[in-house]
Each structure stands twice: as C-alpha cells, then as structure tokens.
Amino acid sequence: KNQKIRKIGGRFTMLRPIFFVITLFAAANGDQLSVLFSPKSVEFRGNSRLDSESLPDVFGAALGYSVSHPTEWDGLVIKDPFNTANGAVVIVAEGLDSFPIDGAKTYKLDGNTGSSALSELTQKSAEHQGVSFEVDLKESSDSFTTPLGTVQPDDEEVSPQHLKPKSNKADADFLRQVAYVNGLSDLLVTSTDRIPTVHIVRVSFEALLAAHEANSPALEEAKKLFVSALGELETAAEKAFDGSVIVGLVTASEGQLVRSKRQAKQEPAEEDDINLAKRYNSNYPVIFNIILWFSVVLAFSLIAISIVIGTMDPGRDSIIYRMTSTRMKKDN
C-alpha cells in the first residue's frame, strides 16, 4: 500500500508543472482594459486585475454614477467627485485578447464577459437622463446613424500596402470599420448638437485573424491602422468634451459568443406574474433620504417646542404678562 501511495504521489508531483503551465496560460489569455485618456479628476493607477463584470461600474463611477456591484478593485481613484467625466468613449476590439498601446494604462480582466457587460453602461446613462449609443461596425452597411447624425466612412487617409481589400473580403470589411471610426472622429469634432454621454463602438478582428496568420505583415498593418484610428478618435473626443472624457479600449477574445449572448438578452421575454418588486430609478434613494431626515428633524423640533411650552413659567418667561402692569393706581 505504501508503494502504491508513493507512486500516486509521484504522479501528482509530475503533474504539478503541467497544471502550473495551464494556469499561467489561462491567466495570460484573459481580456484586458486599456485606458487611453481620462480627466484630471479621475486617476487610474496600479495594475491589479479587474472582474470583467465590473466594467460598467468602472466607467459609470468615472462618470459620477452610482456603483451597482461594489468591488474592492483599487485601480480607480476619484480625486474630485464634483468634476467627474462628462462622457465615455469605449472601443471594443472583438477577437483579440490583448492589444498593447503606448502610453495607455492597461489592466487584465478576469473573465470574458466584459463586452456584453458594457451594454449596462448605456442603461446607466439612460437612468441619469443621458444620451448614449452603441454600434457594431461589423454589422453596419454604407453608414450608421448616431444621435449626432449620420456617420459616413472616411477612408481618404487609409492607404494599405499589405491588406488587399479588392481580393480579400476580410481585409475590405476591416478597412471599412476603420473608415467608420475615422468618420465618427470627424463627426465628434464638427457636430454642434448635444454630444452623447456614452459611445460604445465595436470593431471586429475575427475575420481578419481567420484570413491571415499571426504576425503576418497584413495583420501588423491592420493593427497600425487601428491604432491610428484610435488616436484620432481620442483626440476628437478630448476636443468634443473639453478634456472631460474617458476613452477606453476593451478586448474581447470571444467576440462571437459575446455577441450571441447580447442578442439573446435583447430578445423580449415573456414576463410571468411572480410578484416581483417594483423597480426604482436612481433618484429614489435621494428623495428617500431627504424625506427621512426632514421628518426626523421636524419630529425632534416638535418635541423640543412641546417641552419648552410645557415647562414655561407664564409670569417669568411669557411676554404677555410683561406687557401688563400689576400695580394698582392710587387716588390722591
């Protein structure tokens, strides 16, 4: 028996390095968040990992919204809660697990549901009377409409050398998405209408990765074009919001799966009569606290006034008796 136990223990000892390598591989292939620009009132620091489900709360907190799911993540510091960001521009790169950008603050994400969770950010914006829009450039045709107007593809500055849009549909689709990002940048700078608070733009690398090998010249050129488009969008957003904007890039390695989940969530479901509680908007806790503490102050004030009146000496404390004279007049 001892020999059998030793053999089993030896096998587990041999398997430990394999488990360790698998764990490292899984950790290295997580999605990531890159913060390209943030206002001075919001600081991103450290390099701690972030739960992908908390992405809407991170961007929402930077916009001054309340946090739905409290987290212990210490990567975000609100320096000035009265001057938070006025807008958020989030670009989702579907099909990539990482995308290094010079000068960006990068955080690894635990889980791969960050892309679908970002849809909650538009709901948060709507609850705070904000305007937002979300667009999937892979599914866009000749143009797409935003609250600012119609975005036309701007491909004048795109002149690829290794990408072949005429002979490769994947290359053509990706270049069209980059042209849409450039068109959105132009619209942000020139528009005089009310700028939406939240922009979520999804760019797909899936077809491009399937058509080209890793580290191929065509793929490297595509990444450079994407970085250039991100830089223009960052500059346009900074000008449009006067520097009070947060610009982020989120990679989604399972873009196709995430998109299917997002579409499934958007399908209307039949509501059963299961006695659900009534939903309240974000102003409910504010109104509740105002009414509560006003009632408390009013109650204590009423008690204090009642005690003072009940213990008052009319001859000494009341002004009514001081206005009348108690001396009798004498006849001379």
Side-chain angles (χ1 to χ4, degrees):
K1 291 183 179 179
N2 293 333
Q3 292 179 354
K4 290 182 179 180
I5 293 174
R6 289 177 182 175
K7 289 181 179 179
I8 295 174
R11 291 176 182 175
F12 278 111
T13 303
M14 295 175 62
L15 290 175
R16 283 179 183 175
I18 299 176
F19 289 134
F20 181 71
V21 172
I22 293 175
T23 304
L24 288 179
F25 180 79
N29 284 273
D31 297 336
Q32 74 175 22
L33 163 67
S34 299
V35 181
L36 309 181
F37 181 84
S38 61
K40 295 181 180 179
S41 59
V42 179
E43 180 184 0
F44 286 87
R45 61 187 182 185
N47 55 0
S48 56
R49 300 180 69 90
L50 172 66
D51 186 4
S52 59
E53 293 289 341
S54 300
L55 276 177
D57 289 329
V58 171
F59 286 102
L63 292 170
Y65 300 161
S66 58
V67 178
S68 303
H69 307 90
T71 177
E72 297 181 356
W73 189 60
D74 57 353
L76 173 63
V77 177
I78 306 296
K79 291 184 175 181
D80 188 356
F82 300 101
N83 291 305
T84 54
N86 294 328
V89 179
V90 186
I91 303 92
V92 182
E94 297 182 345
L96 299 177
D97 56 0
S98 63
F99 197 92
I101 298 179
D102 295 337
K105 196 65 179 177
T106 303
Y107 303 93
K108 287 291 184 181
L109 299 179
D110 290 330
N112 50 18
T113 58
S115 178
S116 59
L118 281 173
S119 298
E120 299 179 8
L121 185 59
T122 59
Q123 299 176 4
K124 286 179 175 289
S125 177
E127 292 175 357
H128 291 78
Q129 287 76 43
V131 180
S132 60
F133 84 95
E134 181 178 359
V135 61
D136 192 342
L137 297 182
K138 181 181 178 181
E139 300 175 357
S140 301
S141 54
D142 295 334
S143 61
F144 65 90
T145 304
T146 71
L148 292 175
T150 303
V151 176
Q152 300 290 342
D154 182 7
D155 53 359
E156 295 180 357
E157 300 180 0
V158 179
S159 55
Q161 297 179 356
H162 301 284
L163 295 173
K164 307 299 180 183
K166 295 183 179 180
S167 58
N168 193 325
K169 186 177 183 301
D171 294 356
D173 291 341
F174 178 78
L175 291 175
R176 178 176 52 84
Q177 295 181 73
V178 172
Y180 277 133
V181 175
N182 293 332
L184 179 60
S185 302
D186 297 338
L187 188 61
L188 279 174
V189 175
T190 58
S191 178
T192 57
D193 298 333
R194 181 186 178 187
I195 302 176
T197 305
V198 176
H199 302 69
I200 299 179
V201 182
R202 301 180 183 274
V203 179
S204 177
F205 280 81
E206 296 169 349
L208 197 67
L209 292 172
H212 300 281
E213 296 181 357
N215 300 324
S216 62
L219 192 58
E220 294 298 325
E221 183 182 33
K223 291 182 178 180
K224 290 181 180 179
L225 292 174
F226 182 62
V227 170
S228 177
L230 283 180
E232 293 183 3
L233 183 60
E234 176 188 348
T235 303
E238 184 180 354
K239 292 181 180 179
F241 288 95
D242 294 329
S244 182
V245 64
I246 175 173
V247 182
L249 171 67
V250 177
T251 60
S253 56
E254 297 185 5
Q256 186 69 29
L257 177 61
V258 167
R259 185 160 52 251
S260 300
K261 290 181 179 179
R262 187 172 66 250
Q263 292 175 353
K265 288 182 179 180
Q266 292 177 352
E267 293 180 357
E270 296 181 359
E271 295 184 359
D272 299 330
D273 188 10
I274 54 178
N275 194 23
L276 293 177
K278 182 180 178 181
R279 293 191 63 180
Y280 298 95
N281 60 12
S282 58
N283 294 325
Y284 177 80
V286 179
I287 298 174
F288 177 81
N289 277 275
I290 292 175
I291 296 176
L292 172 64
W293 295 111
F294 181 79
S295 302
V296 170
V297 172
L298 184 63
F300 277 103
S301 300
L302 182 61
I303 293 173
I305 293 172
S306 301
I307 293 175
V308 170
I309 294 177
T311 58
M312 182 177 63
D313 183 3
R316 185 186 63 180
D317 301 329
S318 177
I319 194 174
I320 298 175
Y321 292 94
R322 294 181 183 180
M323 295 176 62
T324 59
S325 177
T326 58
R327 293 181 299 175
M328 299 295 294
K329 292 183 179 180
K330 296 181 180 180
D331 295 334
N332 294 329

